[in-house]
């Protein structure tokens, strides 16, 4: 099939008749496999043009169709975990023609969103929230006397998080009417996930087994010793063929594992489970990347993709970067941690399931005994690091800014209070673009700056990133280096590592009247703006401790202070400058530029920065408007959004 063939109407003859799940439910059961085949082809074709999440969605095509076929959505609630696997769901819930706008400005979001569709019952982006949210919906339905069904669909990766088990434990105690589906794409579809297992799933989810089981409870319940014996016998029988003892102990009726690509089994089992009361757990085994050979062979590479050739899977190269562009900040970190580990045997690397994204692939290969991927368990990753630090190791936690939010208490309670030497390499700080507000690292300056004992650094370029990582590693207390996604200005990275003086900024340009105090990624646009404004430009380097001496020195020959940061204005680096001035009882005309008090929606990173006025042109306009208005203090960006 050629690229052009897949766009012919006949290619998606059945899918094009599906504009809502009602249309799926009007189909004959025998038509569902044809629909699945078309949906999978359409998904490949669509994502090949826009980029986005691919492999996970390919694995849930049949499951998505079966769920909407069996359940009366959106009256019945489907709660997707994370949302990487929700593209098929978007396609058959009325958004097929909008798929070309996926993850673009004003287009479809890359994750389920309540504002986008009534079929998206819960907004997600981070993992392991589905069971908690679905349980809340089930409780609400019960209190309101509504008979709706609630289903949480969670992946095996997301099941590594403690939050998922907290919700399971609570749901079992409440005896809630909740169906949890574990989409397990880590297992292979081996012979045990086939005829016998599918048959058992149908039998154990059927009304006959359920009624016999409930009747036995009533009869044997009057004879405690006999009932206990019957329970043990049932557990032994199921345990021989079903790996669900844990979920049974949590109060769920466990069914599975079943083949998640067998529509007949899926539909029959779901229909049976729909009629049962109480907490149910269905274990479905799928293959990530199903139906697209490149994604099946390399599901990690095809988890999140740029545009690609749908025939070969060959990724299209991004627009040619400028010649001055150097390595990404992630690559700088990757090289540094390997170099540092060679020099210091105490170094250990920790990540919560972000080996590739955080740049730890080479480290994991070269130092496997010192590499720890804890799964999607951010809280655990931080306290694990604290325990290691107590015993003399030097942990480096590689984590996204938006994921560190999930371990905030552990950061304070387990690391900062004990003043332990844990280095946090915080990637994806600031605006990340297409992934939208759930993944934007907009708040780390603000939520970290208020914690005692911590040193916070923001590199202006690639070499400074390497030197700051080295600086933080030398400290005897907690430190954080936060850097954005993508490349820096293209500064040559020096192999030699040298510690920077703590809490000291670096003057870049000497000007008059206006002092631009820039942090991290904003240094380069501030330099360009400062050159046009005739302003002094300072690379502040440190958010905590802030360089008070430098700030006070600037006041001798500058009338205006302008701070620029890729972080929320509220409580951010600019606030640190304001506090410094107030602490010294100094009144000076000050403007804070940064991310305004709103969630910045998806778009390219450049579009997001422009929307916040965090570009060279934006800074110039904001400063000119500020000076013209003669306002002493602006609590937020002066541009309209």
């Amino acid at each position: 099939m050629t690229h052009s063939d897949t766009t012919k109407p006949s290619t998606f003859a059945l899918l094009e008749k599906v504009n809502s799940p009602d249309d799926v439910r009007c189909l004959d059961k025998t038509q569902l496999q044809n629909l699945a085949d078309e949906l999978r082809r359409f998904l490949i074709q669509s994502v090949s043009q826009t980029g986005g999440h691919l492999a996970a969605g390919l694995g849930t095509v049949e499951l998505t169709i079966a769920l909407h076929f069996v359940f009366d959505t959106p009256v019945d609630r489907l709660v997707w975990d994370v949302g990487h696997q929700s593209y098929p769901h978007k396609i058959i819930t009325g958004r097929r023609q909008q798929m070309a706008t996926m993850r673009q400005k004003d287009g479809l979001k890359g994750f389920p969103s309540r504002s986008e569709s009534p079929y998206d019952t819960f907004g997600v982006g981070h993992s392991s929230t589905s069971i908690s949210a679905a349980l809340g919906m089930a409780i609400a339905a019960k209190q309101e006397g509504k008979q709706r069904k609630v289903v949480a669909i969670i992946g095996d990766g997301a099941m590594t998080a403690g939050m998922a088990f907290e919700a399971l434990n609570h749901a079992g105690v409440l005896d809630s009417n909740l169906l949890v589906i574990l989409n397990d794409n880590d297992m292979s579809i081996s012979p045990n996930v086939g005829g016998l297992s599918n048959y058992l799933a149908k039998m154990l989810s059927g009304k006959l087994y359920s009624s016999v089981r409930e009747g036995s409870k009533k009869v044997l319940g009057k004879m405690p010793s006999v009932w206990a014996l019957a329970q043990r016998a049932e557990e032994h029988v199921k345990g021989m063929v079903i790996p669900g003892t844990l979920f049974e102990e949590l109060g769920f009726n466990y069914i599975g594992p079943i083949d998640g690509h067998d529509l007949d089994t899926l539909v029959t089992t779901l229909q049976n489970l729909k009629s049962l009361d109480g907490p149910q757990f269905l274990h479905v085994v799928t293959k990530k990347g199903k139906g697209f050979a490149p994604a099946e062979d390399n599901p990690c590479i095809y988890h999140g993709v740029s545009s690609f050739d749908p025939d070969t899977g060959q990724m299209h190269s991004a627009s040619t970067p400028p010649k001055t562009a150097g390595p990404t900040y992630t690559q700088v970190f990757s090289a540094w941690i390997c170099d540092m580990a060679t020099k210091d045997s105490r170094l250990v690397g920790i990540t919560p399931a972000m080996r590739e994204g955080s740049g730890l692939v080479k480290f994991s290969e070269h130092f496997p005994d010192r590499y720890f991927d804890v799964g999607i368990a951010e809280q655990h990753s931080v306290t694990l690091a604290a325990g290691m630090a107590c015993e003399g190791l030097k942990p480096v936690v590689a984590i996204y800014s938006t994921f560190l939010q999930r371990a905030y208490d552990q950061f304070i309670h387990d690391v900062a209070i004990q003043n332990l030497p844990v280095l946090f390499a915080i990637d994806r700080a600031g605006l990340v673009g297409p992934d939208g507000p759930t993944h934007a690292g907009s708040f780390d300056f603000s939520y970290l700056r208020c914690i005692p004992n911590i040193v916070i650094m923001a590199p202006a370029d690639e070499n400074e990133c390497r030197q700051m990582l080295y600086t933080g590693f030398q400290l005897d207390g907690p430190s954080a280096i936060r850097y954005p996604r993508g490349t820096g200005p293209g500064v040559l990275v020096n192999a030699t590592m040298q510690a920077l003086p703590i809490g000291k900024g670096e003057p870049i340009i000497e000007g008059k009247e206006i002092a631009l105090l820039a942090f991290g990624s904003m240094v380069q646009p501030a330099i360009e703006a400062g050159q046009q404004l005739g302003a002094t430009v300072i690379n502040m380097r440190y958010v905590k401790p802030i360089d008070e001496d430098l700030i006070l020195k600037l006041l001798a020959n500058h009338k205006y202070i302008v701070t620029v940061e890729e972080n929320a204005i509220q409580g951010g680096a600019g606030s640190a400058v304001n506090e410094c001035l107030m602490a010294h009882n100094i009144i000076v005309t000050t403007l804070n530029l940064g991310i305004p008090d709103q969630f910045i929606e998806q778009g390219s990173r450049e579009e997001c920065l422009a929307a916040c006025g965090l570009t060279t042109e934006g800074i110039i306009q904001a400063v000119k408007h500020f000076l013209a208005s003669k306002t002493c203090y602006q609590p937020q960006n002066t541009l309209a959004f």
Side-chain angles (χ1 to χ4, degrees):
M1 181 181 296
T2 65
H3 182 95
S4 59
D5 289 338
T6 59
T7 62
K8 291 181 179 179
S10 59
T11 303
F12 309 116
L14 189 57
L15 180 62
E16 288 181 345
K17 297 177 182 178
V18 174
N19 296 306
S20 77
D22 287 335
D23 297 324
V24 176
R25 291 187 280 271
C26 288
L27 297 175
D28 186 89
K29 187 177 177 181
T30 59
Q31 295 178 284
L32 297 183
Q33 188 57 59
N34 289 337
L35 177 62
D37 294 340
E38 291 186 16
L39 178 54
R40 183 168 277 113
R41 291 200 303 271
F42 182 88
L43 178 61
I44 295 169
Q45 178 67 25
S46 176
V47 178
S48 74
Q49 297 172 357
T50 64
H53 294 106
L54 179 64
L58 289 173
T60 59
V61 167
E62 288 82 7
L63 177 60
T64 302
I65 290 172
L67 284 167
H68 283 292
F69 183 77
V70 171
F71 291 95
D72 183 21
T73 55
V75 175
D76 292 335
R77 310 300 201 209
L78 301 184
V79 183
W80 297 92
D81 208 282
V82 185
H84 295 144
Q85 73 277 45
S86 66
Y87 286 18
H89 161 81
K90 287 177 180 275
I91 293 168
I92 64 174
T93 53
R95 288 167 276 182
R96 182 184 72 253
Q97 294 182 335
Q98 297 171 272
M99 288 297 289
T101 69
M102 177 63 69
R103 302 171 78 241
Q104 299 171 21
K105 188 176 185 294
D106 300 323
L108 288 182
K109 301 180 188 302
F111 305 96
S113 171
R114 282 166 51 85
S115 64
E116 188 175 286
S117 170
Y119 293 96
D120 292 357
T121 61
F122 195 74
V124 294
H126 289 187
S127 79
S128 316
T129 62
S130 60
I131 304 175
S132 296
L135 177 58
M137 294 176 185
I139 292 171
K142 183 177 181 180
Q143 292 195 352
E144 295 170 0
K146 297 180 179 179
Q147 297 302 309
R148 71 165 53 103
K149 300 295 181 179
V150 183
V151 184
I153 307 100
I154 185 168
D156 55 279
M159 280 294 293
T160 63
M163 185 176 177
F165 286 92
E166 292 171 14
L168 287 171
N169 182 61
H170 190 204
V173 171
L174 292 179
D175 197 33
S176 57
N177 287 327
L178 172 68
L179 170 59
V180 175
I181 297 178
L182 171 59
N183 173 32
D184 185 351
N185 53 37
D186 190 47
M187 293 174 59
S188 61
I189 300 179
S190 53
N192 68 307
V193 185
L196 176 60
S197 184
N198 288 347
Y199 171 77
L200 285 170
K202 293 178 183 179
M203 180 187 72
L204 295 176
S205 65
K207 291 184 178 180
L208 175 61
Y209 174 80
S210 179
S211 60
V212 170
R213 191 172 189 269
E214 292 303 312
S216 299
K217 282 184 180 180
K218 294 177 182 179
V219 175
L220 298 179
K222 299 176 182 179
M223 299 175 284
S225 60
V226 178
W227 173 235
L229 178 62
Q231 281 184 304
R232 286 197 297 273
E234 180 190 38
E235 288 176 2
H236 285 310
V237 171
K238 293 179 74 174
M240 286 189 292
V241 291
I242 300 171
T245 304
L246 171 62
F247 304 108
E248 293 274 2
E249 292 296 331
L250 288 171
F252 281 76
N253 178 39
Y254 175 92
I255 304 297
I258 65 173
D259 184 348
H261 302 297
D262 184 330
L263 268 165
D264 179 67
T265 297
L266 280 171
V267 168
T268 302
T269 304
L270 289 172
Q271 287 172 333
N272 288 340
L273 289 171
K274 184 179 179 181
S275 65
L276 299 182
D277 293 327
Q280 311 293 324
F281 192 100
L282 176 61
H283 185 171
V284 174
V285 176
T286 61
K287 186 173 183 61
K288 190 175 288 187
K290 174 72 172 178
F292 187 52
E296 289 187 17
D297 294 339
N298 296 287
C300 185
I301 293 176
Y302 285 86
H303 168 70
V305 297
S306 58
S307 61
F308 62 91
D309 186 324
D311 295 323
T312 65
Q314 180 69 38
M315 301 277 186
H316 296 155
S317 59
S319 57
T320 304
K323 293 180 179 180
T324 56
T328 65
Y329 283 102
T330 305
Q331 290 168 339
V332 171
F333 167 75
S334 176
W336 171 82
I337 193 171
C338 289
D339 292 345
M340 196 69 240
T342 301
K343 295 177 179 294
D344 194 326
S345 61
R346 298 174 300 165
L347 186 152
V348 289
I350 303 170
T351 185
M354 294 305 299
R355 185 183 77 141
E356 289 79 15
S358 291
L360 284 172
V361 173
K362 289 184 178 179
F363 179 82
S364 68
E365 294 170 349
H366 296 164
F367 304 95
D369 296 335
R370 295 156 66 182
Y371 166 74
F372 300 90
D373 185 341
V374 302
I376 303 176
E378 295 88 353
Q379 294 170 294
H380 170 57
S381 72
V382 174
T383 304
L384 175 70
M388 291 175 168
C390 284
E391 299 302 321
L393 296 181
K394 296 279 285 186
V396 177
V397 179
I399 191 168
Y400 286 10
S401 172
T402 186
F403 297 159
L404 183 56
Q405 295 165 184
R406 293 165 63 109
Y408 192 54
D409 179 66
Q410 286 68 29
F411 195 113
I412 296 172
H413 185 274
D414 300 332
V415 175
I417 289 178
Q418 301 184 92
N419 200 25
L420 294 171
V422 179
L423 170 63
F424 291 86
I426 305 175
D427 205 331
R428 269 58 167 188
L431 299 169
V432 294
D435 283 335
T438 59
H439 284 61
S442 304
F443 311 109
D444 52 75
F445 281 170
S446 303
Y447 70 70
L448 292 176
R449 195 175 65 80
C450 59
I451 303 173
N453 293 334
I454 186 174
V455 172
I456 307 171
M457 294 171 263
D461 56 53
E462 301 89 336
N463 183 56
E464 197 164 75
C465 182
R466 179 177 174 87
Q467 307 312 325
M468 284 182 174
L469 288 164
Y470 178 77
T471 302
F473 189 76
Q474 305 308 311
L475 299 178
D476 291 328
S479 59
I481 294 87
R482 63 99 76 168
Y483 42 88
R485 182 177 190 170
T487 59
V491 172
L492 182 66
V493 178
N494 192 339
T496 302
M497 292 182 279
Q498 185 174 4
L500 302 175
I502 301 299
K504 295 300 179 182
E506 177 191 31
I508 303 294
I509 298 176
E510 183 177 351
K512 297 179 179 179
E513 291 198 325
I514 305 168
L516 289 174
L517 278 56
F519 296 83
S521 60
M522 290 295 100
V523 171
Q524 189 60 35
I527 291 173
E528 295 166 0
Q531 289 170 337
Q532 297 188 46
L533 293 167
T536 292
V537 179
I538 306 294
N539 170 16
M540 290 300 291
R541 283 183 169 169
Y542 289 84
V543 176
K544 188 173 185 177
I546 200 79
D547 193 342
E548 293 195 3
D549 292 339
L550 180 55
I551 294 170
L552 298 177
K553 182 179 179 181
L554 290 170
L555 298 178
N557 52 4
H558 292 83
K559 294 171 59 177
Y560 309 104
I561 297 292
V562 179
T563 65
V564 192
E565 62 188 297
E566 193 178 344
N567 185 85
I569 295 172
Q570 284 76 4
S575 293
V577 175
N578 300 341
E579 292 161 12
C580 169
L581 297 172
M582 287 188 290
H584 290 86
N585 198 28
I586 296 172
I587 297 176
V588 62
T589 307
T590 306
L591 170 65
N592 299 139
L593 300 179
I595 299 173
D597 190 22
Q598 65 189 71
F599 291 107
I600 306 303
E601 294 298 336
Q602 69 192 38
S604 68
R605 176 167 156 76
E606 292 72 24
E607 288 172 330
C608 292
L609 288 170
C612 297
L614 297 178
T615 61
T616 299
E617 296 75 16
I619 294 170
I620 293 171
Q621 290 180 32
V623 171
K624 288 183 176 179
H625 180 87
F626 168 66
L627 296 178
S629 67
K630 299 187 183 301
T631 302
C632 290
Y633 176 71
Q634 288 285 353
Q636 61 179 359
N637 200 305
T638 56
L639 296 183
F641 297 95

